[in-house]
Amino acid sequence: MGIRGGGSSSGGSDGGPRYRITVPQTLAGGEYKLAKDISQQAGSAVPSDGANEHNIKAVGGQYSSGTKSLVMLGLYGVIDDPDTTIEHTIRGMTRDGKTEVAVADKEFRPRGGGDSLTCGVDVRTEMGQKVTLPFCVWADSSTSGNVAETDASELAKDPQSVDLQKFADKVDKIRGEVRKPLG
């Protein structure tokens, strides 16, 4: 029997590797610790089948590191057009009426050489307080992820001063920790 494993199909039209998203106890090499698994809330907020995503499962975690708080939300299943998923995710973040785009999203190549990420900065108003929220989103044919971070020591940090390349590098590392091969 060959290495390929006897023709069992793992689904997906591109025939590429399929992944799932996990919620590990730590992220970014142990920098962030899991404070709360929010997979149940994430699952109820996301339809499992849409025009572009099929058999979707959603997971998520809230993590903390000192004054920093990080939320990772992930989807996995079958994604027809990753670019559409990225667009919908970013648009969805400002749909609550309390969040506005402060730094328009653009593509970043992580310095570690991973696939590109789409990152930007939103500002959300919570109880009269402006909160600066850098985020990075990725999608491929089987996973999508969204990572956003706040820092309680500088909640209203100037959005223009956020080093998005540095954040993209961190999120690329996180993507490697949460995205696991199916099987």
Side-chain angles (χ1 to χ4, degrees), residues 11 31 44 60 62 105 126 149 168 170-171:
E31 183 186 341
S44 62
Q62 288 175 338
D105 56 274
E126 285 180 18
E149 183 183 69
K170 183 190 295 186
V171 173

Side-chain angles (χ1 to χ4, degrees), residues 24-27 29-36 62-66 68 70:
Q25 289 300 308
T26 63
L27 287 180
E31 183 186 341
Y32 296 85
K33 306 253 180 297
L34 181 65
K36 187 177 182 200
Q62 288 175 338
Y63 291 82
S64 59
S65 171
K68 293 183 189 152
L70 183 136

Side-chain angles (χ1 to χ4, degrees), residues 43-169:
S44 62
V46 174
S48 68
D49 274 295
N52 187 49
E53 294 103 10
H54 316 282
N55 300 321
I56 292 293
K57 290 185 179 55
V59 298
Q62 288 175 338
Y63 291 82
S64 59
S65 171
T67 57
K68 293 183 189 152
S69 175
L70 183 136
V71 175
M72 183 280 299
L73 291 170
L75 305 176
Y76 63 97
V78 177
I79 297 174
D80 296 335
D81 180 9
D83 289 342
T84 299
T85 297
I86 289 171
E87 218 173 278
H88 287 173
T89 301
I90 292 170
R91 265 214 316 269
M93 291 163 70
T94 55
R95 210 177 280 135
D96 62 7
K98 296 184 288 200
T99 306
E100 49 203 62
V101 177
V103 176
D105 56 274
K106 63 181 201 152
E107 226 170 271
F108 287 84
R109 274 240 165 255
R111 281 184 268 247
D115 292 336
S116 66
L117 295 146
T118 303
C119 306
V121 184
D122 286 345
V123 171
R124 187 166 65 217
T125 305
E126 285 180 18
M127 297 178 291
Q129 163 81 50
K130 289 205 176 303
V131 179
T132 301
L133 203 64
F135 67 86
C136 285
V137 178
W138 82 83
D140 54 46
S141 61
S142 65
T143 69
S144 167
N146 176 7
V147 176
E149 183 183 69
T150 56
D151 187 339
S153 70
E154 45 181 13
L155 280 177
K157 179 179 180 154
D158 174 8
Q160 307 299 325
S161 73
V162 174
D163 183 343
L164 279 174
Q165 180 64 57
K166 190 173 163 195
F167 191 59
D169 294 345

